[in-house]
Amino acid sequence: MPGAHILVNALERAGAEVIFGIPGGAILPAYDPLYDAEGVRHILVRHEQGAGHAAEGYAMASGRVGVCMATSGPGATNLVTPLADAHMDSVPIVAITGQVGSGSIGTDAFQEADIRGITMPITKHNFLVHRPEDIAQAVAEAFHIASTGRPGPVLVDITKDALVAEGEFIWPETIDIPGYKPTRRPHRRQVREAAREICEATRPVFYLGGGVIKADAVDEIQGLVEQTQIPVVTTLMARGAYPDSSDLHMGMPGMHGTVAAVGALQRADLLIALGTRFDDRVTGKLDTFAPNARVIHADVDPAEISKNRNAEVPIVGDCREVITALREHLDEVDTSRWDPWRRTLATMKAKFPTSWEAWEDGSLSPQYVIKRIGELSGPDAWFASGVGQHQMWCAHFLPHEKPRWMNSGGLGTMGYCVPAAMGAKVAQPDAIVWGIDGDGCFQMTNQELVTCALEGIPVKIAVINNESLGMVRQWQTLFYEGRYSNTNLQSTRIPDFPKLAEAMGCVGLRATHIDEVDAVIEQALAIDDRPVVVEFVVHKDAMVWPMVAAGTSNDDIQVAKDMAPEWEEEEL
């Protein structure tokens, strides 16, 4: 059969149910068999970046591999940002791209780009396929690589002549890739050593990263925490891995983390780091991070262990396997030894809660808006956010009782929200799916609302409009003497977001006063046949607190401008 038919059959055999993409010259042969395909749904997006982020949202909300498709040249290069995003946040997606004919490669042919070379640093692996009989093998391996070990993006670039020529469909019964054997089961000796360290510690903390969710280990970690009664912090990518409502949960650590979470890490004598990578946004100035703590570091990716912080007990393995093994070795642990430590952190948590200011002019506080969206939508709703201030407010004020939140953590991609929410809604059609975006981020990829309207994907988008590039403006306030160079979007004037929403086939709503907030949220929740966009006009001077300035120690955390926590002597 033609290579294009091999490709579509291979995608179906690999389990792809949805493809987000846009046709073009080099990939066009593949779109002909897609026309008749019954096992896979193609969703025509308005921009390739939207296709990539939608595949990410689909993957995160479904637990499956997300798939996107684009043509050669600019179509493929428009996927670079979502591929880099998925690579940083360990999201399993497969990108299929068309390439110019084999004989034209290297000639600067029309719409030629070396997408394999361009994306090699930002994909887990990638393929360039020249022959139709190699297509099925490449697709099978791509799905396997994307979804096993540390998840990530894989690119399959296929030349146009390979899509047109005929070859035999050969689906591999097993996948055996030399050199690729991810370690799932941890070494027993290392687990025993970790258990010993835990039993001897006086101030231990579970430091949970996104790998816990990727490993589908939420139930296991909740069981381990209940078993040991050790305090917990969850990073930006791990929000919901352990419920916020628990007394043992100190919140999110890092640059905009809670005082209790930052304080817990800084004062710990043992960090039990699971599925996390000690990134700079958590550690602050690295040589001052958790200065008195020994480290147990478990990760499925051996390259992450001791990359930034040396681990006294390194454990390579799948998080669920590691946690299960730890539970067996900690079956008779004496949890009372940590009573003083828990009391210290409980005092810190009660003394420095996350909160916000009410504005004298009656302007909306964005934190209140986000909190009410979460409360009215319930803990089973799914949320996606853009990047910036609203992202941090989402981290603090949404109801993180379950892993139901998607955001761009490592790359910090503005424009992530709308297409990611679209992909999540495709994966969870019966669930409430909100995208909570800033006015800056929203204006980058809102064209995908047209896709949502035409494809019957009724997402709900909240635009937190502070008329600014808010996080950059916050830095200008704090570090550039209020010189607001090119951060004023004037977006309460242009565009008119409700009218823009209506023009794209959505329902457009707006709230400017606290008395209107609940009503518009409930109105949005009641609409399920079309996408809804709700603009919340909020005060432009609202800031994200607490904050650790970039490059400084976490000990320098501030709860407001020029206001540091006053630590009690027993907390130090």
Side-chain angles (χ1 to χ4, degrees), residues 60-405:
M60 295 184 73
S62 69
R64 303 166 66 89
V65 175
V67 183
C68 54
M69 186 179 289
T71 195
S72 64
T77 58
N78 279 342
L79 288 176
V80 167
T81 295
L83 286 170
D85 192 272
H87 188 252
M88 290 284 277
D89 288 346
S90 305
V91 182
I93 67 172
V94 169
I96 308 294
T97 54
Q99 184 54 273
V100 299
S102 300
S104 298
I105 291 177
T107 68
D108 291 332
F110 177 67
Q111 290 194 333
E112 180 191 359
D114 179 12
I115 195 61
R116 189 183 187 200
I118 290 168
T119 62
M120 195 167 288
I122 56 168
T123 53
K124 192 175 176 184
H125 191 65
N126 55 30
F127 300 84
L128 175 59
V129 183
H130 295 271
R131 304 190 315 155
E133 53 266 35
D134 295 333
I135 291 174
Q137 180 79 30
V139 169
E141 291 186 4
F143 274 73
H144 175 73
I145 293 169
S147 59
T148 55
R150 179 180 180 174
V154 178
L155 177 103
V156 180
D157 194 34
I158 308 173
T159 62
K160 188 170 184 177
D161 52 305
L163 291 171
V164 173
E166 291 196 352
E168 186 178 356
F169 178 85
I170 306 171
W171 184 256
E173 295 302 321
T174 59
I175 301 294
D176 184 15
I177 304 172
Y180 180 70
K181 308 292 181 187
T183 300
R184 287 188 54 84
R185 291 182 177 273
H187 197 289
R188 291 182 179 181
R189 184 178 64 190
Q190 296 303 92
V191 174
R192 286 197 301 269
E193 180 64 17
R196 186 190 65 79
E197 290 270 359
I198 292 170
C199 290
E200 293 180 358
T202 56
R203 298 188 305 279
V205 176
F206 282 115
Y207 165 26
L208 306 183
V212 172
I213 296 174
K214 298 294 189 303
D216 194 19
V218 171
D219 290 342
E220 285 75 11
I221 191 60
Q222 292 183 11
L224 178 59
V225 173
E226 294 305 311
Q227 177 181 333
T228 60
Q229 294 292 294
I230 292 173
V232 181
V233 302
T234 54
T235 66
L236 184 72
M237 300 307 295
R239 303 295 284 125
Y242 193 77
D244 278 4
S245 57
S246 170
D247 291 338
L248 290 170
H249 191 207
M250 297 300 112
M252 181 181 75
M255 173 177 280
H256 290 294
T258 66
V259 173
V262 172
L265 294 181
Q266 290 301 98
R267 284 149 184 77
D269 67 353
L270 179 67
L271 302 185
I272 310 158
L274 302 173
T276 189
R277 56 190 179 84
F278 290 82
D279 68 285
D280 62 297
R281 282 303 189 259
V282 169
T283 65
K285 188 178 180 183
L286 188 59
D287 60 7
T288 67
F289 174 69
N292 301 312
R294 292 174 64 80
V295 173
I296 299 167
H297 190 182
D299 202 289
V300 74
D301 183 358
E304 288 296 343
I305 296 177
S306 297
K307 183 177 77 174
N308 293 327
R309 171 67 179 262
N310 183 63
E312 279 74 22
V313 183
I315 304 176
V316 178
D318 178 83
C319 264
R320 185 159 60 170
E321 300 272 1
V322 171
I323 294 165
T324 300
L326 277 175
R327 291 199 68 182
E328 295 173 0
H329 285 81
L330 294 170
D331 190 43
E332 298 180 1
V333 67
D334 178 13
T335 64
S336 64
R337 66 181 283 110
W338 300 311
D339 285 348
W341 174 231
R342 286 192 294 267
R343 285 194 296 269
T344 295
L345 293 183
T347 300
M348 198 183 300
K349 183 178 177 181
K351 187 174 181 180
F352 301 106
T354 51
S355 59
W356 64 85
E357 65 274 27
W359 301 99
E360 294 181 358
D361 63 0
S363 298
L364 280 178
S365 294
Q367 301 94 323
Y368 173 80
V369 169
I370 291 169
K371 189 170 189 292
R372 291 303 291 156
I373 291 173
E375 289 171 344
L376 293 174
S377 300
D380 290 324
W382 288 81
F383 300 93
S385 79
V387 169
Q389 288 181 313
H390 65 282
Q391 178 188 26
M392 297 298 104
W393 291 321
C394 285
H396 286 303
F397 298 109
L398 286 177
H400 297 289
E401 297 298 297
K402 302 176 182 180
R404 296 287 188 272
W405 182 44

Side-chain angles (χ1 to χ4, degrees), residues 46-67:
R46 266 49 190 173
H47 192 284
E48 290 89 356
Q49 182 181 352
H53 293 318
E56 287 187 276
Y58 177 88
M60 295 184 73
S62 69
R64 303 166 66 89
V65 175
V67 183

Side-chain angles (χ1 to χ4, degrees), residues 537-561:
V537 181
V538 301
H539 201 290
K540 67 170 58 177
D541 289 326
M543 290 198 188
V544 181
W545 298 108
M547 180 177 181
V548 178
T552 66
S553 168
N554 282 350
D555 288 324
D556 298 326
I557 188 171
Q558 293 191 349
V559 293
K561 191 174 188 300

Side-chain angles (χ1 to χ4, degrees), residues 80 366 414 509 520:
V80 167
M414 293 179 69
L509 305 171
V520 295

